[in-house]
Amino acid sequence: MKKWIIFKLISLLLLSVSCNGQQPNKKSSDIKNGVVGGGCDSCELMYIGMPEKIQSTNTSPGWDQKGQKLVVTGTVFQIDGKTPAPDVIIYYWQTDNDGYYSPKPGLDSKVKRHGYIRGWVKTDEKGKYTIRTIRPSPYPNDILPAHIHLSVKEPDIANEYYTDEINFDDDKLLIPHFKKYPQENRGGSGVVRVLLKDNMQIAEHNIVLGLNIPNYPKKATVVLQSGLNIGEDQPSFIPFHVYGPDRGTQTCPVCKYGRYHGIIYFVGNNTNWNEVKSWLQFLEQESKNRKKYLKVYFVYGNDKDYNKDQRQSMLEKLGSELNIQYTALTFVPSFYDEKTEAVLNKINPQAENTFVIYKHRNIVDKYINLKPTKESFKMLSNALDKTQGDFFDLPEPNYE
């Protein structure tokens, strides 16, 4: 009994000393000196105990311990968000089922602040990785949501850097925390949505190398910027639904259909209605063919001479003309509008179109200024295949 009390006291002491260290903060001096990622408090501990040969799948020391079994799996991409990145080392560390970075006999004293539930994976030739662990618990009597820390080491970058922690969207502590401390989206959103397979929870988590990373030497080739980045989460917003699903309402696509996967087709000030009709006919067929798991939205956001009644009447005529059934025809006053929260999408109104494809809220692909050609239809159809994935048919946990 005394040994157990001593163990808990040691755990509490380590927790109190290292909670700040578990938040791998940037160092201003490192940012100025051009260190990729801006520096990281304790990320360098990834090299202590690192095996010479690292696999793309790792089973953590916590897998057979008390707690909810969890599988985290995903793909690491280059800065474009589309090209898989092989041979990237991901180091992770986390709390145990009681919320402690627990020590363990034989653990190097230098890494006790990370606890014994730590490990490494190296992405395979397709950029894939899998971590088998247990779901971490929040720090005892704290306001921080449960999380798994990540730092990455690219084969051609001199130093490691941290990405957003893995957080869980069903964690009641998450939203209050994000209101106070918004995500940095380093490497993309860290928020995962868990699914169930037997007694395991499964969470998909992709990483985009260099995304929102200070001093990152590689740059994505972008001719025109419109929309959020691949890897970030599709935000909630409430357009006016004129035709198709949710007609006559202001429904948030990802709020109501977050379990589904979707594509949002944004059109702003430079509108070619013949091209819009061609795209809508294509998307309507895609939505019909994939209705089990795909939701499609058209969002018109021209801010020139905006009149709500005229815009509604115009889209009603368009929906009737094209016999729209599965595609939601919607509009917002402009892409800068704050009442509908359309501004959160960061759409460039000068772009002819912006296609945002998301999977369980996370943006997995994006296209700007596409022409409605056979080649574009094929490319977009192939991109929509990403919205299904290996785990779509798995159930979600029951939430209170």
Side-chain angles (χ1 to χ4, degrees):
M1 187 68 180
K2 289 183 178 179
K3 289 183 178 179
W4 173 247
I5 293 173
I6 291 172
F7 174 80
K8 279 298 180 182
L9 286 173
I10 292 173
S11 297
L12 283 169
L13 179 61
L14 287 169
L15 182 66
S16 65
V17 169
S18 64
C19 273
N20 289 333
Q22 301 309 325
Q23 302 298 321
N25 299 317
K26 298 183 289 293
K27 303 174 185 177
S28 58
S29 60
D30 284 339
I31 294 176
K32 291 179 181 178
N33 293 332
V35 173
V36 175
C40 174
D41 181 15
S42 86
C43 286
E44 72 281 358
L45 299 182
M46 72 181 293
Y47 302 108
I48 298 177
M50 178 187 287
E52 289 186 14
K53 188 172 183 180
I54 305 174
Q55 307 293 337
S56 61
T57 298
N58 176 257
T59 300
S60 86
W63 178 254
D64 293 322
Q65 304 302 312
K66 179 179 67 173
Q68 168 64 57
K69 290 188 182 298
L70 171 71
V71 175
V72 178
T73 186
T75 304
V76 177
F77 295 99
Q78 300 288 357
I79 187 66
D80 63 0
K82 301 186 182 188
T83 306
D87 299 324
V88 175
I89 298 173
I90 303 171
Y91 168 61
Y92 67 92
W93 70 102
Q94 64 171 86
T95 59
D96 60 17
N97 189 60
D98 296 316
Y100 298 101
Y101 296 99
S102 301
K104 196 175 185 180
L107 186 67
D108 191 308
S109 61
K110 296 176 184 177
V111 296
K112 283 185 177 179
R113 64 189 301 188
H114 283 189
Y116 77 94
I117 305 180
R118 58 195 291 265
W120 304 260
V121 286
K122 180 185 282 189
T123 56
D124 65 16
E125 67 278 2
K126 295 181 180 179
K128 302 285 187 181
Y129 76 94
T130 299
I131 299 169
R132 289 154 42 98
T133 185
I134 58 170
R135 183 156 167 170
S137 290
Y139 303 146
N141 304 314
D142 206 326
I143 59 173
L144 286 176
H147 52 273
I148 299 175
H149 297 284
L150 302 176
S151 63
V152 301
K153 176 62 176 69
E154 300 183 40
D156 54 352
I157 297 292
N159 63 276
E160 73 291 335
Y161 59 86
Y162 73 92
T163 64
D164 268 22
E165 302 161 348
I166 294 177
N167 294 118
F168 303 88
D169 76 329
D170 59 349
D171 191 328
K172 294 179 181 179
L173 297 172
L174 187 64
I175 293 178
H177 178 69
F178 277 175
K179 285 181 178 179
K180 201 169 183 180
Y181 304 102
Q183 286 191 93
E184 292 183 84
N185 282 310
R186 291 174 60 109
S189 170
V191 179
V192 297
R193 288 91 193 173
V194 296
L195 300 173
L196 295 176
K197 185 175 183 181
D198 301 324
N199 67 333
M200 290 188 303
Q201 291 189 355
I202 296 180
E204 292 186 85
H205 176 60
N206 296 337
I207 297 172
V208 179
L209 298 174
L211 179 60
N212 299 318
I213 301 298
N215 301 323
Y216 195 71
K218 306 173 190 177
K219 304 297 179 185
T221 303
V222 178
V223 178
L224 179 67
Q225 183 62 47
S226 181
L228 295 172
N229 294 297
I230 297 173
E232 297 180 332
D233 278 349
Q234 169 58 35
S236 303
F237 71 112
I238 46 173
F240 297 96
H241 289 246
V242 176
Y243 212 88
D246 298 309
R247 181 174 184 172
T249 69
Q250 268 189 277
T251 299
C252 166
V254 294
C255 303
K256 184 171 182 179
Y257 303 109
R259 176 65 177 92
Y260 282 82
H261 311 142
I263 178 169
I264 307 180
Y265 168 32
F266 295 95
V267 172
N269 296 350
N270 295 322
T271 308
N272 183 320
W273 285 106
N274 288 329
E275 292 187 359
V276 168
K277 290 177 182 179
S278 295
W279 274 118
L280 288 177
Q281 288 171 324
F282 163 75
L283 291 172
E284 175 74 1
Q285 189 60 45
E286 289 290 317
S287 184
K288 180 179 179 181
N289 294 342
R290 305 167 185 262
K291 60 183 178 182
K292 179 183 176 183
Y293 61 91
L294 178 69
K295 297 294 181 180
V296 179
Y297 307 88
F298 170 72
V299 182
Y300 183 46
N302 192 340
D303 54 28
K304 298 177 181 177
D305 302 320
Y306 171 70
N307 180 285
K308 182 178 179 180
D309 292 337
Q310 290 178 0
R311 186 157 298 183
Q312 184 161 326
S313 176
M314 178 184 64
L315 291 184
E316 284 177 345
K317 291 178 181 178
L318 181 64
S320 178
E321 175 187 344
L322 299 179
N323 191 28
I324 295 295
Q325 298 179 43
Y326 300 97
T327 303
L329 302 187
T330 77
F331 71 88
V332 292
S334 78
F335 291 137
Y336 304 115
D337 186 59
E338 294 184 356
K339 286 188 176 180
T340 61
E341 297 188 296
V343 65
L344 299 177
N345 293 290
K346 296 185 178 179
I347 299 300
N348 184 342
Q350 302 308 318
E352 291 183 17
N353 54 54
T354 305
F355 292 90
V356 173
I357 302 173
Y358 61 89
K359 175 181 178 179
H360 225 157
R361 284 183 175 258
N362 189 250
I363 297 172
V364 296
D365 214 341
K366 183 178 74 171
Y367 296 90
I368 303 171
N369 287 352
L370 277 187
K371 293 294 183 181
T373 63
K374 289 183 179 180
E375 292 76 15
S376 294
F377 291 159
K378 183 179 180 180
M379 180 174 64
L380 205 57
S381 185
N382 290 338
L384 288 172
D385 290 336
K386 297 179 182 180
T387 63
Q388 188 168 3
D390 298 327
F391 308 111
F392 178 78
D393 292 323
L394 295 179
E396 292 180 300
N398 291 321
Y399 302 115
E400 296 180 0

